[in-house]
Amino acid sequence: FRECAMFTHKIDKLQGIIFARVSGTPTTVLMIDHIQNVLNDPDFDPKYNSIIVFEENARIAGFPKDEIETIRRVLDGYAQQRKGRNWAIVAHNERQEDFLKLNLELISPVKFNIRIFQSEEDALNWIKGR
């Protein structure tokens, strides 16, 4: 049985932040679907920044070589629609952080300011400019 990956999001209009949570083992297709869901959310505003939290059970794999260019194009297309280009990513353990850094290197350059944090509080403080 394959563990299902799950992306959920909520948009906090008051703070101007898109909060996303990831569990399971995300795939490229699910990630692209998630981005589409955010763009289609009636509360979406291109000025909002994002905080993406990988739950402790989330397993991050390296991007498949044949999908790297697709991922880069999708993210760059998303970046062109946005003024909020700060993405704070929360990794709860070293393994997640290592794989996130590897994947970010694989898809660079992207037109986002992406930082990895170990706590949601640190991520929120960075997004809010504290």
Side-chain angles (χ1 to χ4, degrees), residues 97-116:
E97 190 172 343
D98 290 346
F99 272 100
L100 284 167
K101 286 177 180 172
L102 171 75
N103 283 336
L104 292 175
E105 283 175 31
L106 288 172
I107 62 169
S108 72
V110 288
K111 299 173 179 99
F112 283 103
N113 187 12
I114 300 173
R115 290 216 18 218
I116 299 172

Side-chain angles (χ1 to χ4, degrees), residues 7 10 14 21 25 27 32 34 53-54 61 67 69 77 81 84 87 89 102 105 111 114 126:
F7 283 88
K10 75 174 189 183
L14 213 56
R21 296 190 100 67
T25 308
T27 64
I32 292 169
H34 166 69
V53 178
F54 282 81
E67 295 177 2
E69 192 53 43
Q81 298 181 43
W87 281 17
I89 300 177
L102 171 75
E105 283 175 31
K111 299 173 179 99
I114 300 173
W126 179 70

